[in-house]
Amino acid sequence: MKQNIGFILNILALGLFVPGIMLPIFSMNMEMQADLGSSALSTALIDKELSILGTVTELWNEQRYLVGFLILFFSVVVPLLKTSLVTVARIIRSQETKQKLLSFVTSIGKWSMADVFVVAIFLAVLSTDHASTTSTEQINMGLFKITFELSSQTLSNVGLGFWFFTAYCLISLAGTQLFYRGVKQG
């Protein structure tokens, strides 16, 4: 019974995984504004939504291969490998082979906690929410002085992909543990 529930949870987790890596995990907007008395000039400096796969693509295009590879490996490859091995273990009849596979899944499960680390990094980025700076500047032009305020504001929000990926992490962990306990008992 635990094996069946664990397997179903892993399949459900896989269903959450796909939108979790494809949908935006967070968005960030940064705007700069210059107030000149009764007038104001405003421009967007950053307006970005990033998914896990979008982040990997962007890092790859910027030739940050190591960071892009690590995010891809720990957030995409290891979870897919883990789910594939649990599926193979479900199909295999040999109890000994099943236990070996699940023992391996448990050992890479420790490495797959790096996907949770990736989510934590995104949360750290989100801590910049509503960060703003303001400074008063002056331009001297001979007899004229122009005083203005220069300000910037950074807003960030959690995207839908964050919630799917977090749900994937938790349900996958629970499903794998249940499946493994069911195999050990039966």
Side-chain angles (χ1 to χ4, degrees):
M1 182 67 160
K2 285 183 182 180
Q3 284 184 45
N4 292 336
I5 294 171
F7 180 71
I8 290 168
L9 286 175
N10 270 291
I11 297 303
L12 174 63
L14 186 60
L16 295 167
F17 173 76
V18 173
I21 63 170
M22 297 181 89
L23 292 174
I25 206 160
F26 79 97
S27 64
M28 178 178 275
N29 302 24
M30 182 180 222
E31 183 179 282
M32 184 162 55
Q33 184 170 330
D35 290 322
L36 303 162
S38 62
S39 301
L41 299 170
S42 177
T43 186
L45 299 176
I46 298 173
D47 187 13
K48 204 178 251 196
E49 285 188 333
L50 287 175
S51 66
I52 290 175
L53 288 180
T55 300
V56 169
T57 301
E58 193 168 304
L59 289 168
W60 201 261
N61 290 338
E62 293 174 3
Q63 298 179 356
R64 296 180 185 177
Y65 301 121
L66 179 61
V67 177
F69 172 77
L70 290 173
I71 292 173
L72 178 68
F73 185 75
F74 289 116
S75 296
V76 179
V77 174
V78 170
L80 288 176
L81 178 64
K82 190 174 124 184
T83 303
S84 298
L85 291 176
V86 168
T87 302
V88 169
R90 174 74 171 99
I91 296 168
I92 289 177
R93 299 258 184 238
S94 166
Q95 196 69 9
E96 182 182 333
T97 306
K98 220 180 245 202
Q99 288 204 354
K100 284 180 183 178
L101 272 176
L102 290 174
S103 178
F104 180 69
V105 168
T106 302
S107 70
I108 66 169
K110 294 174 182 122
W111 286 100
S112 75
M113 287 308 291
D115 55 11
V116 177
F117 178 69
V118 169
V119 172
I121 289 171
F122 282 118
L123 279 176
V125 169
L126 291 174
S127 68
T128 63
D129 197 20
H130 302 291
S132 61
T133 59
T134 303
S135 64
T136 303
E137 306 293 331
Q138 275 190 346
I139 297 177
N140 290 321
M141 300 172 71
L143 300 173
F144 298 102
K145 280 186 184 177
I146 300 173
T147 303
F148 60 97
E149 274 192 8
L150 193 58
S151 62
S152 68
Q153 183 176 27
T154 304
L155 302 171
S156 53
N157 294 302
V158 174
L160 193 55
F162 169 81
W163 299 111
F164 276 100
F165 194 75
T166 301
Y168 152 75
C169 291
L170 296 173
I171 291 172
S172 174
L173 185 61
T176 302
Q177 290 298 314
L178 258 172
F179 189 79
Y180 187 60
R181 286 183 187 153
V183 168
K184 282 177 104 176
Q185 288 176 352

